[in-house]
């Protein structure tokens, strides 16, 4: 079902007018559809039914506790990559034993806090990390459950800036070294090896790299079990990609078939950590046109959202579909615009030569597929307040992150003692 749709030429989120929400919240803002998140989760769990495959939401995609809770209430656990994300997951009401801690640079303080909470698993990525985790666990009189994150050296065929499973990426343990590292780790008193993990990315539109990665994981798991390791589960990493152009997304049933073909025959419980595929299409970013400007070769739509509010286009050259909040009554007035923000950077550009209905100051526009790596990556660059977030359910909405005031922002700063 389409949860962002037009009614009599006006854009709605579920049962609410986007224009009416903007009058209350102001622009720019992020608007999430709770029903869209729930449907994405249900579609995934339906596709993987019968595979003994548990879902742990990768909260780095959107770490607002209200969004985490939507998925927790559906039955998801959480995949985290920092002590801060652990606290956000706990604040959302998730039990610690449904939380997996990934990431290449866990600190000793983060390890200690996670161990004290009793999380399900650490996905470890280097021998030094294992040694540090063992040391922390022994100091606390605890045992750390781990999975070795394997780098399968598989090209996910995504943008080089978001690939995570090739040999030259910083992530994971080289597959050829994994068994040796596991044997060394098994001698440590503060470590218990529960499984193996891979993660090659989350924006895969071609599913074949998953087939190759999972085949390599299955082969390695078989070697581990032949060497006497009792594996409790395998972690398959992120979910499938989304169609940022609002086209056809990868087939979840095809993904499930790859899992069934490659790792399911081992008979081990499975885990996966989707983020983008659960929340990416469930939100829009709404912005208002400040000015339009005609230059020698271009026309610009200067909006009140900037790269600090949605950094993906500047960071990844990502392309988001953009639509008017009020549809034009006449398609004959379409023009080509560069959509740009007010930040003092040439990279503060969302789209170039984008065909759109004629715009005027105060018009509202919506950036689609903004639910993942949108608000969560926002900053206060140029002294701009963080963008607020709104969650819609049916005909109700709630602000789930407030826009801070300038006074709120200034409280975090102070002059040096010798400047006063």
């Amino acid at each position: 079902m389409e949860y962002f749709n037009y009614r009599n030429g006006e854009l709605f989120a579920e049962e609410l007018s986007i224009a009416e929400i903007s009058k209350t919240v102001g622009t720019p803002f992020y608007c999430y559809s709770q029903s869209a998140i729930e449907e994405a989760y249900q579609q995934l769990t339906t596709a993987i039914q019968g595979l003994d495959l548990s879902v742990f939401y990768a909260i780095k995609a959107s770490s607002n506790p209200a969004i985490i809770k939507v998925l927790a209430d559906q039955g998801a656990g959480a995949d985290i990559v920092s002590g801060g994300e652990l606290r956000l997951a706990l604040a959302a009401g998730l039990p610690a034993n449904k939380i997996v801690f990934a990431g290449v640079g866990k600190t000793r303080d983060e390890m200690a806090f996670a161990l004290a909470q009793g999380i399900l698993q650490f996905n470890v990525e280097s021998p030094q990390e294992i040694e540090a985790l063992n040391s922390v666990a022994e100091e606390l009189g605890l045992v750390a459950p781990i999975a070795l994150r394997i780098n399968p050296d598989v090209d996910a065929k995504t943008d080089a800036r978001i690939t995570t499973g090739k040999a030259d990426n910083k992530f994971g343990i080289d597959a050829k070294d994994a068994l040796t590292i596991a044997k060394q780790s098994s001698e440590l008193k503060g470590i218990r090896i529960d499984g193996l993990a891979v993660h090659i990315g989350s924006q895969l539109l071609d599913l074949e790299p998953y087939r190759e990665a999972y085949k390599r994981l299955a082969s390695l798991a078989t070697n581990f079990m032949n060497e006497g390791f009792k594996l409790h589960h395998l972690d398959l990493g992120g979910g499938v990609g989304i169609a940022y152009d609002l086209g056809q997304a990868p087939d979840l049933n095809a993904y499930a078939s790859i899992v069934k073909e490659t790792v399911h025959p081992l008979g081990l419980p499975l885990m996966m950590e989707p983020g983008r595929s659960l929340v990416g299409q469930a939100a829009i970013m709404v912005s208002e046109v400040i000015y339009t400007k005609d230059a020698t070769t271009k026309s610009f739509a200067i909006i009140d959202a900037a790269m600090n509010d949605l950094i993906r286009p500047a960071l990844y050259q990502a392309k988001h579909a953009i639509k008017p909040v009020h549809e034009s009554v006449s398609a004959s007035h379409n023009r080509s615009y560069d959509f740009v923000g007010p930040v003092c950077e040439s990279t503060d550009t969302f789209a170039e030569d984008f065909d759109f209905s004629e715009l005027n100051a105060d018009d509202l526009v919506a950036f689609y597929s903004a639910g993942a790596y949108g608000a969560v990556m926002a900053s206060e660059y140029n002294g701009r307040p963080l963008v607020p977030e709104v969650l819609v359910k049916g005909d109700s909405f709630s602000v789930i992150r407030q826009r801070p005031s300038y006074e709120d922002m200034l409280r975090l700063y102070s002059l040096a003692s010798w400047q006063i």
Side-chain angles (χ1 to χ4, degrees):
M1 181 176 177
E2 179 57 63
Y3 293 101
F4 297 100
N5 54 73
Y6 288 96
R7 300 183 184 183
N8 298 319
E10 184 176 349
L11 184 61
F12 275 63
E14 299 198 22
E15 302 300 318
L16 289 176
S17 158
I18 291 296
E20 290 302 312
I21 295 175
S22 72
K23 290 177 182 178
T24 301
V25 179
T27 56
F29 70 94
Y30 280 87
C31 180
Y32 300 84
S33 161
Q34 179 167 330
S35 297
I37 298 171
E38 292 169 343
E39 182 175 289
Y41 182 83
Q42 291 160 8
Q43 288 176 342
L44 174 60
T45 53
T46 297
I48 63 176
Q49 190 172 6
L51 293 177
D52 196 9
L53 177 50
S54 300
V55 176
F56 294 77
Y57 167 54
I59 72 173
K60 62 180 175 288
S62 181
S63 61
N64 190 301
I67 302 302
I68 300 170
K69 182 167 174 54
V70 170
L71 287 158
D73 288 347
Q74 294 293 302
D79 164 64
I80 63 162
V81 294
S82 73
E85 285 192 347
L86 174 53
R87 287 166 172 83
L88 289 166
L90 295 172
L94 260 173
N97 64 4
K98 293 189 71 173
I99 297 174
V100 174
F101 197 162
V104 300
K106 307 175 192 72
T107 67
R108 292 176 66 93
D109 285 345
E110 289 175 321
M111 292 172 177
F113 181 69
L115 281 165
Q117 301 307 306
I119 68 165
L120 176 65
Q121 174 176 294
F122 293 84
N123 287 359
V124 296
E125 307 205 21
S126 69
Q128 285 191 3
E129 181 188 347
I130 295 169
E131 292 168 6
L133 182 57
N134 175 69
S135 174
V136 173
E138 286 197 300
E139 289 173 6
L140 296 174
L142 299 171
V143 175
I146 71 168
L148 301 182
R149 177 177 174 178
I150 308 302
N151 186 319
D153 193 20
V154 170
D155 185 354
K157 301 178 182 177
T158 58
D159 189 289
R161 287 159 289 200
I162 60 172
T163 187
T164 61
K166 293 179 67 177
D168 56 357
N169 295 140
K170 68 179 180 180
F171 302 99
I173 293 168
D174 194 311
K176 65 179 174 54
D177 300 325
L179 194 53
T180 298
I181 291 171
K183 288 177 179 179
Q184 294 168 346
S185 301
S186 66
E187 302 297 321
L188 302 175
K189 294 180 180 179
I191 295 295
R192 184 184 73 239
I193 300 174
D194 280 355
L196 302 176
V198 294
H199 178 64
I200 61 172
S202 65
Q203 184 47 22
L204 277 74
L205 301 178
D206 177 0
L207 299 181
E208 284 307 305
Y210 274 135
R211 188 189 309 278
E212 185 59 33
Y214 293 167
K215 284 168 60 177
R216 296 184 187 186
L217 178 63
S219 176
L220 187 60
T222 300
N223 291 341
F224 266 66
M225 290 186 288
N226 288 340
E227 291 289 331
F229 285 92
K230 294 182 179 180
L231 300 179
H232 297 285
H233 43 247
L234 299 178
D235 187 334
L236 307 182
V240 302
I242 64 173
Y244 280 96
D245 61 359
L246 305 183
Q248 186 64 42
D251 185 348
L252 291 173
N253 291 316
Y255 171 81
S257 294
I258 289 173
V259 174
K260 186 174 183 179
E261 170 196 327
T262 54
V263 289
H264 181 63
L266 295 176
L268 294 170
L270 304 171
M271 307 162 64
M272 70 179 302
E273 293 137 5
R276 190 193 313 263
S277 60
L278 295 178
V279 298
Q281 301 287 35
I284 57 175
M285 183 185 72
V286 181
S287 182
E288 182 177 287
V289 176
I290 304 173
Y291 308 113
T292 58
K293 174 182 174 180
D294 291 328
T296 303
T297 60
K298 286 180 174 289
S299 292
F300 295 94
I302 303 168
I303 61 177
D304 63 0
M307 61 186 289
N308 68 294
D309 302 313
L310 178 61
I311 199 172
R312 295 189 71 258
L315 187 62
Y316 304 128
Q317 283 70 62
K319 300 183 186 302
H320 289 258
I322 312 171
K323 295 187 178 183
V325 169
H326 295 96
E327 287 184 306
S328 174
V329 295
S330 175
S332 64
H333 292 115
N334 278 12
R335 298 184 59 180
S336 179
Y337 290 99
D338 281 16
F339 281 84
V340 300
V343 157
C344 193
E345 298 280 352
S346 295
T347 52
D348 187 21
T349 299
F350 295 103
E352 296 183 27
D353 298 321
F354 197 92
D355 289 334
F356 211 80
S357 55
E358 188 163 6
L359 288 166
N360 297 291
D362 302 328
D363 285 345
L364 297 174
V365 296
F367 291 77
Y368 278 63
S369 310
Y373 309 104
V376 75
M377 297 180 78
S379 75
E380 294 180 347
Y381 185 49
N382 274 196
R384 293 167 51 83
L386 288 173
V387 67
E389 297 172 85
V390 169
L391 181 63
V392 171
K393 177 67 173 176
D395 60 1
S396 299
F397 81 90
S398 182
V399 178
I400 57 174
R401 184 172 73 177
Q402 300 284 342
R403 190 191 314 275
S405 68
Y406 289 111
E407 291 74 20
D408 293 332
M409 295 167 62
L410 286 168
R411 282 191 201 101
L412 298 175
Y413 296 93
S414 62
L415 297 176
S417 58
W418 59 86
Q419 295 176 311
I420 299 172

